[in-house]
Every structure is written in structure tokens, then in C-alpha cells.
């Protein structure tokens, strides 16, 4: 197979190992580009239903059978499951020489595919920087989506061509930078969901009937400003040095939602540090503000009402 030498891969048979939210979507997108999905593996009922919706008529088989059937195999399983899956497939002889083996983990580059590479597979890491619903709308959302691409030099053109065929924009990520790249995306996207969900809960407690309507324009503007201007877009009581307002916020959170205090204080300290570093927060105002935050942190360490840990969401589950 001469796909690695071409800027546009030959039409390939495609298989998916792990019918979570990502795999069937990518296979459906590749199908629109002329490739042919031929096999998918999935364990849960939800996986089988998802595969049927996005890849109608494609048989659900075992992972080994997927590799036996397809020239291009998408390994779309959770990060922690990927090394064991690759090792198992290699040890059982399921990997075929010349087979394109693609994983979609943000954390890993191609080194995790080493057991399969030694068996003759062609390793690619293509991570879409997108959240997925597991529904057909995801295929349209891939248009313009950035993909973190890691591959050997001789496969780079093939990897980038596959991303472009899915409507995405390839962004080259060095092998050693994959964990940092993935941490940045988790910080920006996964934890944003947690913050927004907390904000909506607090607004409901405050009596707002439709917190989504209130937050939508505000968050849209904040995101746009942040992407355009970075730290210069910082606003609010922390950036202004309004220590009294921040203290009032913390008092109310301790009364109504004590589990959110640790996260509020941690983000306020980080925001204050960035505002100071960029000249937005005046040093003379920062002293009282940081004092409020230090007192709250000390109270939390002593086991006061704000004690406890901040939310630590984990982007796990099916891909």
C-alpha cells in the first residue's frame, strides 16, 4: 500500500475499535471523503446503537476482526485503555504489516503504538480538539476542527491528508509535547464545562429562572475577548482589586455552595497573579485582595466551612 507517499491517501477500507463518541464520527467523516467503513467493535448497547446510527450496515465484530478487515484502523478507546489494547492486538498477531493504525488520544503520540509498529503497522496519532456528542451533528462540527497530529516523518503527508479529508486542520505536535498539549485542552475545555455548570447552579439558587440565557451572551463575549486579547480581556472584581467584593462572594458561596469555594479561591488567585503580571491589577490594591484569598486558603486548611477539594473532572468513558 502506497498511502504514506501520497498527499491524498488511496481510498481505504476503514475499521473502528471502540464505538464511543469519536470513532464512528471519524469513520462517517472518512466515508464522506470516499473511504469505506467495513467493521466496528463495541461492547455496550450504547456503542452498538451509536455505530448503527452513524455507520448503518457496518457489521459489529471483535477488535481482531476489525484489524483483519480494514486497511485503516481507528483505535478510539479511553487513554488509559490504549496501551493495553495495542499490546494485546500485537501479541495476538492481529496487526498486519502495512496497516495504518490511528489512535485519537490527546495524551499519547505514536510511541504508544510501538508494539504494533514492530509488527509492521504504520502509526499515526490524530487527536480532534473537539467535544463529541456521539450523534450525526458531530460530523458537521469537524469542519475547521484542529487535530493534534503526530506521526513519523515518512507518514506526515498521509496523516495530514486524512485530517483534511475529515474537514479538519492539522496541527503538528511533537511526541514529547503531547501530554502538555492535552493538559492545555483539558484545562480550557473540560474544566470550562465544570465552571459553567457551577455558575448555572448558583444562578438558579439566586432565583434566575433561565441561567443559560443569562450566561450565553456573557460567556460568548468573554470567550471571544479572551481568544482575541488574552489576559488583556480580564475584567471583574479580581482584576480591579475589589477585595471587599471578593470577600462577599466567598461568604455567600460558603453559605449556599461550600463545595465551590476552593475552586473560586484557586481561580481568583490565578487571575490575580496574571492580572498583576500584565499590569491590570495595581499592586497597592492587590495586597488586600491577596490577603482575603490567603485567609480563605488558611481557613480551608484548618478544616473550616470552605475546606475540601476543588472539583477534579476526568474526561473518561468512551471515546
Amino acid at each position: 500500500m502506497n498511502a504514506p507517499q501520497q498527499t491524498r491517501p488511496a481510498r481505504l477500507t476503514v475499521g473502528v475499535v471502540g464505538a464511543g463518541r469519536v470513532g464512528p464520527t471519524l469513520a462517517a467523516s472518512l466515508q464522506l471523503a470516499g473511504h469505506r467503513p467495513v467493521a466496528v467493535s463495541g461492547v455496550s448497547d450504547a456503542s452498538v446503537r451509536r455505530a448503527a446510527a452513524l455507520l448503518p450496515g457496518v457489521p459489529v465484530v471483535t477488535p481482531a476482526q476489525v484489524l483483519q478487515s480494514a486497511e485503516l484502523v481507528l483505535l478510539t478507546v479511553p487513554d488509559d485503555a490504549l496501551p493495553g489494547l495495542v499490546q494485546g492486538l500485537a501479541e495476538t498477531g492481529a496487526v498486519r504489516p502495512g496497516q495504518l493504525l490511528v489512535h485519537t488520544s490527546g495524551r499519547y503520540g505514536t510511541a504508544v503504538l510501538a508494539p504494533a509498529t514492530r509488527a509492521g503497522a504504520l502509526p499515526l496519532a490524530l487527536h480532534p480538539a473537539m467535544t463529541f456528542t456521539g450523534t450525526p451533528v458531530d460530523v458537521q462540527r469537524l469542519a475547521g476542527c484542529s487535530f493534534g497530529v503526530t506521526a513519523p516523518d515518512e507518514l506526515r503527508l498521509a496523516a495530514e491528508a486524512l485530517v483534511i479529508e475529515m474537514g479538519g486542520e492539522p496541527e503538528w505536535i511533537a511526541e514529547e509535547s503531547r501530554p502538555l498539549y492535552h493538559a492545555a485542552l483539558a484545562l480550557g475545555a473540560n474544566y470550562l464545562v465544570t465552571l459553567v455548570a457551577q455558575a448555572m447552579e448558583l444562578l438558579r439558587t439566586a432565583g434566575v429562572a433561565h441561567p443559560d440565557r443569562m450566561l450565553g451572551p456573557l460567556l460568548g463575549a468573554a470567550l471571544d475577548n479572551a481568544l482575541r486579547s488574552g489576559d488583556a480581556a480580564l475584567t471583574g472584581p479580581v482584576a480591579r482589586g475589589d477585595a471587599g467584593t471578593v470577600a462577599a462572594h466567598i461568604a455567600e458561596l460558603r453559605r449556599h455552595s461550600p463545595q465551590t469555594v476552593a475552586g473560586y479561591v484557586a481561580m481568583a488567585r490565578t487571575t490575580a497573579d496574571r492580572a498583576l503580571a500584565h499590569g491590570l491589577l495595581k499592586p497597592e490594591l492587590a495586597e488586600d485582595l491577596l490577603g482575603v484569598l490567603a485567609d480563605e486558603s488558611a481557613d480551608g486548611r484548618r478544616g473550616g466551612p470552605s475546606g475540601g477539594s476543588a472539583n477534579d473532572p476526568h474526561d473518561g468513558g468512551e471515546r
Side-chain angles (χ1 to χ4, degrees):
M1 185 176 65
N2 60 357
Q5 284 74 42
Q6 297 181 197
T7 57
R8 177 180 173 86
R11 303 304 88 188
L12 304 169
T13 52
V14 178
V16 179
V17 176
R21 298 178 180 180
V22 177
T25 296
L26 298 187
S29 182
L30 288 168
Q31 186 174 37
L32 291 176
H35 301 286
R36 184 165 61 91
V38 293
V40 59
S41 73
V43 177
S44 68
D45 291 340
S47 296
V48 174
R49 289 194 300 269
R50 193 178 295 116
L54 287 163
L55 302 171
V58 175
V60 178
V61 297
T62 67
Q65 289 172 319
V66 171
L67 269 72
Q68 187 177 31
S69 304
E71 298 164 303
L72 166 62
V73 177
L74 303 173
L75 303 180
T76 53
V77 298
D79 291 355
D80 288 352
L82 183 60
L85 172 66
V86 174
Q87 185 69 40
L89 291 172
E91 287 179 351
T92 58
V95 178
R96 294 185 290 119
Q99 189 169 48
L100 281 166
L101 208 58
V102 178
H103 79 70
T104 59
S105 166
R107 170 185 172 187
Y108 292 109
T110 57
V112 71
L113 298 175
T117 303
R118 289 192 291 271
L122 306 176
L124 305 176
L126 307 179
H127 174 252
M130 177 62 64
T131 58
F132 290 79
T133 65
T135 64
V137 70
D138 292 336
V139 178
Q140 282 70 46
R141 286 180 176 172
L142 286 177
C145 168
S146 291
F147 279 66
V149 177
T150 304
D153 287 344
E154 63 271 19
L155 296 175
R156 180 166 179 165
L157 289 178
E160 293 181 341
L162 286 171
V163 170
I164 291 169
E165 287 191 327
M166 288 185 282
E169 296 286 342
E171 184 72 37
W172 190 255
I173 308 294
E175 179 80 27
E176 63 274 13
S177 297
R178 295 288 292 205
L180 179 60
Y181 152 81
H182 195 226
L185 294 181
L187 185 67
N190 301 153
Y191 301 163
L192 174 63
V193 174
T194 301
L195 291 173
V196 173
Q198 286 185 339
M200 288 199 295
E201 288 175 357
L202 293 170
L203 287 172
R204 289 191 191 97
T205 302
V208 176
H210 301 287
D212 53 337
R213 296 181 190 174
M214 179 174 285
L215 285 174
L218 174 64
L219 296 181
L223 177 60
D224 184 64
N225 291 341
L227 292 175
R228 292 174 183 269
S229 304
D231 288 301
L234 281 172
T235 63
V238 173
R240 291 192 298 267
D242 291 340
T245 298
V246 171
H249 287 176
I250 293 171
E252 286 300 296
L253 292 176
R254 291 176 71 174
R255 285 181 57 206
H256 296 287
S257 184
Q259 70 273 16
T260 65
V261 172
Y264 180 97
V265 171
M267 290 304 298
R269 288 183 63 87
T270 300
T271 300
D273 289 343
R274 297 188 73 90
L276 266 172
H278 289 81
L280 302 173
L281 175 59
K282 296 178 181 178
E284 60 270 22
L285 296 177
E287 185 174 356
D288 287 344
L289 173 66
L290 294 174
V292 168
L293 298 173
D295 289 345
E296 182 57 37
S297 296
D299 185 75
R301 287 194 297 272
R302 289 193 297 268
S306 65
S309 61
N311 288 341
D312 183 20
H314 175 63
D315 186 21
E318 291 183 320
R319 288 192 175 278

